[in-house]
Amino acid sequence: MAALTKTLPRRERGFWFGLAIDVLWPIVVLFIPMRITGREHVPKTGGVLLAFNHISFADPVSSTVFALVSGRVPRFLAKASLWKLPLVGSIMRSGRHVPVDRGTQRAGLALSGAHGAVERGECVAVYPEGTFTNDPDGWPMAGKSGVARAALMSRKPVVPVAQWGTQRLLPRGSFLPRPLPRKRVDVAAGPAVDLSDLYGLELSKEVLDKATARIMAAITDLLATLR
């Protein structure tokens, strides 16, 4: 991780998002052993969706680290309330992340924002489950259709990414991380999910469910390997 520091992309981070990365990066390097595999599956340029499982409030840190060491600056889909928080809101705006108004009709605007970002060649990071998994053993739940819709509309690759260990670093319900004793975090990506046979079809519930199931199955398979 220390050796990769000089290779991280620095352009297009935005001031506050870039500052947050610079503050957190040494902490990650010193206190969080990370094993990252599958970086070669992330295209170095062009629009791409990174689809992660979600198990901890620490996930955005490990997801950002994965994207950066893969040569990309991530733009996250995240709940809109974060934009109203001091400092956090500045980080979200600076990083050009995409707000999601959960449970409202405006949630569809986030899809348009994600689609637009991918079309512009951005790397968009999403948690298809929309929230932490409620599976007692930590396995992914059924995903929501937003990432599948954005992928089919844009025809950009969806790279599945599994992460494990963040739930020990920052357990659900806890507000303070538990870095000691040191807890390893594993992040693994696989090849882009093949959705090509669904391109050009009407975006019906059946088509979206099929695409979503493929994405979630790919993430689950990767997670099974990590565990």
Side-chain angles (χ1 to χ4, degrees):
M1 294 295 293
L4 289 170
T5 301
K6 292 184 179 180
T7 70
L8 303 183
R10 304 196 65 85
R11 297 183 60 187
E12 304 298 326
R13 290 183 183 182
F15 176 77
W16 289 106
F17 186 43
L19 181 61
I21 291 170
D22 289 340
V23 169
L24 288 173
W25 184 262
I27 297 173
V28 171
V29 171
L30 292 173
F31 295 106
I32 306 174
M34 292 190 69
R35 182 175 64 180
I36 294 175
T37 57
R39 293 184 293 147
E40 68 276 10
H41 297 299
V42 181
K44 299 302 181 186
T45 60
V48 61
L49 291 149
L50 302 182
F52 296 86
N53 64 315
H54 200 5
I55 51 177
S56 166
F57 278 126
D59 290 343
V61 174
S62 55
S63 302
T64 298
V65 169
F66 172 79
L68 290 171
V69 300
S70 300
R72 304 301 300 263
V73 177
R75 313 298 180 194
F76 283 91
L77 261 69
K79 57 184 181 181
S81 58
L82 294 176
W83 271 252
K84 300 177 183 179
L85 298 177
L87 184 58
V88 174
S90 297
I91 292 172
M92 301 309 286
R93 285 186 289 272
S94 165
R96 303 208 304 270
H97 304 297
V98 182
V100 179
D101 284 298
R102 294 179 180 174
T104 72
Q105 292 182 343
R106 290 190 295 174
L109 296 176
L111 174 61
S112 299
H115 178 219
V118 174
E119 288 283 15
R120 291 193 301 272
E122 300 274 21
C123 172
V124 178
V126 297
Y127 300 108
E129 298 162 271
T131 186
F132 295 131
T133 179
N134 59 18
D135 182 272
D137 294 320
W139 294 103
M141 303 183 295
K144 300 185 183 302
S145 63
V147 61
R149 185 183 293 270
L152 294 176
M153 289 172 61
S154 65
R155 301 192 180 186
K156 301 297 184 182
V158 181
V159 175
V161 192
Q163 45 196 353
W164 190 249
T166 53
Q167 80 283 2
R168 294 188 290 266
L169 179 65
L170 185 58
R172 187 172 182 176
S174 175
F175 293 97
L176 294 175
R178 302 174 184 177
L180 299 174
R182 299 175 81 199
K183 299 168 180 68
R184 193 178 80 186
V185 173
D186 290 274
V187 186
V193 180
D194 185 5
L195 302 175
S196 58
D197 60 309
L198 304 178
Y199 292 161
L201 299 180
E202 180 184 353
L203 297 183
S204 63
K205 183 179 184 302
E206 180 182 2
V207 168
L208 291 172
D209 285 350
K210 185 179 292 187
T212 302
R214 288 184 193 177
I215 294 167
M216 296 310 300
I219 296 172
T220 303
D221 288 346
L222 288 165
L223 183 58
T225 301
L226 287 183
R227 296 177 65 173

